[in-house]
Amino acid sequence: MPAEWTPHARTWMAFPTANTTFATGPELEAARLAWARVANTIVRYEPVTVLVHPGDPLDALDGRVETVEVPLDDAWLRDTGPTFTRADDGTAVAVDWVFNGWGAQSWAAWEKDARLAGHVAGLAGVPVVSSPLTQEGGGFHVDGAGTVLLTDTVQLDPDRNPGWSRAQVEAEVHARLGTSKAIWLPRGLTADYGEFGTRGHVDIVAAFTAPGRVVVHAQPDPGHPDHEVSRETAEILRQATDARGERLDVVELRAPTVTEADGELVDYSYVNHYVANGVVVLCAFDDPRDAEAAAVLKRAYPGRDVVLVDARDIFRFGGGVHCVTQQQPL
């Protein structure tokens, strides 16, 4: 799997449609505006195709955004779409993981979304390889040089992969992604285990920004439940070696100062950014640490613009900028 910062052919997204996650009325409208802000930002740098449930309005989308009508359950294409990889001869391959609604969660519907990976691959003209492993694109992150990040509570979730061992998961992940070294983190951020959480996706906890370098969510408030989670994550990464046998350069991204919204704990994270051609699309929270995170990522991705996009509504519905996007490498 090429690293996210390598050149893209396009970005794929799905547009919110009425369901349990977004309900209807004002919430659905807020979700569509939030997703549109992401698509409209990326399309200034590379082609964007958005899957839209038949009959849903497109007013919020920039006219340059391509749209395709496809029946949808939800709108988290990082998780429901294919993972684009390359075969040994350099040809593109789309991996279709099993998708079961983030571990068959009671509120989730996935009959339509479970078919999206194959549908997107067909639209992209890329052959599909099906995997028996149940996981989502937000549940792993690669450095493009043989190393992959995983979490115990996703890949070893009994509601996703009952009976699978670490060794079995690693063998399947390596076979599909071309990786050779897995670094396991014990869990995700605390709020990700709430009603609409993913139970531990790594892409709000840690992300490679180059081979040998990883950004990690850091919660400096000792009274916050993620203080210990992020401390443990950073320590595991500092002690780990990558596929080349090298220690990682661990760069902390301090969490936003806001820790609650509407009385609920939030998992706001700057780790959940998206790297496209010439740009880093960074979650913004109208927070004093937005600018600090932008400066860190500007250093991590020299030569790219860093564009802050308000992600509070995306997080309100269960994810972030990275969760709603999926790259198709060149």
Side-chain angles (χ1 to χ4, degrees), residues 291-303:
E292 177 185 318
V296 171
L297 291 178
K298 185 67 175 176
R299 292 191 295 271
Y301 300 103

Side-chain angles (χ1 to χ4, degrees), residues 61-136:
L61 291 170
D62 186 302
R64 291 170 291 181
V65 174
E66 299 176 16
T67 59
V68 180
E69 285 199 343
V70 180
L72 299 172
D73 293 307
D74 218 317
W76 309 98
L77 204 73
R78 171 69 51 181
D79 295 345
T80 57
T83 297
F84 289 98
T85 65
R86 294 215 170 274
D88 290 341
D89 64 2
T91 57
V93 177
V95 180
D96 181 4
W97 312 102
V98 177
F99 178 71
N100 74 342
W102 302 276
Q105 298 207 44
S106 60
W107 51 266
W110 60 88
E111 180 182 355
K112 302 179 186 74
D113 283 356
R115 297 194 290 267
L116 282 185
H119 196 99
V120 170
L123 291 170
V126 175
V128 177
V129 173
S130 295
S131 171
L133 184 68
T134 301
Q135 67 169 353
E136 307 84 36

Side-chain angles (χ1 to χ4, degrees), residues 114-190:
R115 297 194 290 267
L116 282 185
H119 196 99
V120 170
L123 291 170
V126 175
V128 177
V129 173
S130 295
S131 171
L133 184 68
T134 301
Q135 67 169 353
E136 307 84 36
F140 58 88
H141 205 278
V142 301
D143 67 352
T147 313
V148 60
L149 301 176
L150 305 171
T151 54
D152 288 341
T153 58
V154 171
Q155 282 79 18
L156 300 181
D157 179 2
D159 292 319
R160 284 176 167 102
N161 297 301
W164 284 62
S165 67
R166 273 194 179 191
Q168 289 171 314
V169 169
E170 287 188 17
E172 178 61 17
V173 167
H174 293 335
R176 302 305 168 201
L177 299 183
T179 48
S180 58
K181 173 66 181 288
I183 300 174
W184 288 84
L185 304 177
R187 55 169 292 131
L189 300 185
T190 302

Side-chain angles (χ1 to χ4, degrees), residues 233-267:
T233 298
E235 184 59 24
I236 289 170
L237 291 169
R238 288 191 181 100
Q239 295 302 318
T241 55
D242 63 15
R244 304 168 304 168
E246 302 289 333
R247 286 287 179 89
L248 299 174
D249 176 19
V250 178
V251 179
E252 295 190 353
L253 273 174
R254 292 203 299 167
T257 60
V258 174
T259 58
E260 291 186 355
D262 300 322
E264 298 282 336
L265 187 71
V266 293
D267 52 6

Side-chain angles (χ1 to χ4, degrees), residues 166-239:
R166 273 194 179 191
Q168 289 171 314
V169 169
E170 287 188 17
E172 178 61 17
V173 167
H174 293 335
R176 302 305 168 201
L177 299 183
T179 48
S180 58
K181 173 66 181 288
I183 300 174
W184 288 84
L185 304 177
R187 55 169 292 131
L189 300 185
T190 302
D192 197 24
Y193 297 85
E195 182 181 6
F196 294 114
T198 70
R199 301 178 187 162
H201 272 191
V202 76
D203 67 354
I204 60 171
V205 181
F208 290 111
T209 60
R213 187 174 63 230
V214 61
V215 290
V216 61
H217 181 82
Q219 176 50 257
D221 179 0
H224 192 287
D226 285 331
H227 178 72
E228 181 58 25
V229 172
S230 60
R231 186 206 63 77
E232 182 183 16
T233 298
E235 184 59 24
I236 289 170
L237 291 169
R238 288 191 181 100
Q239 295 302 318

Side-chain angles (χ1 to χ4, degrees), residues 82 108 271:
V271 169

Side-chain angles (χ1 to χ4, degrees), residues 21-64:
T21 306
F22 308 115
T24 57
E27 285 194 335
L28 181 56
E29 179 63 19
R32 286 173 174 158
L33 289 173
W35 264 245
R37 282 194 292 268
V38 176
N40 296 347
T41 298
I42 298 169
V43 80
R44 290 161 29 202
Y45 297 87
E46 67 180 60
V48 177
T49 299
V50 175
L51 310 182
V52 182
H53 191 75
D56 281 355
L58 307 175
D59 311 20
L61 291 170
D62 186 302
R64 291 170 291 181

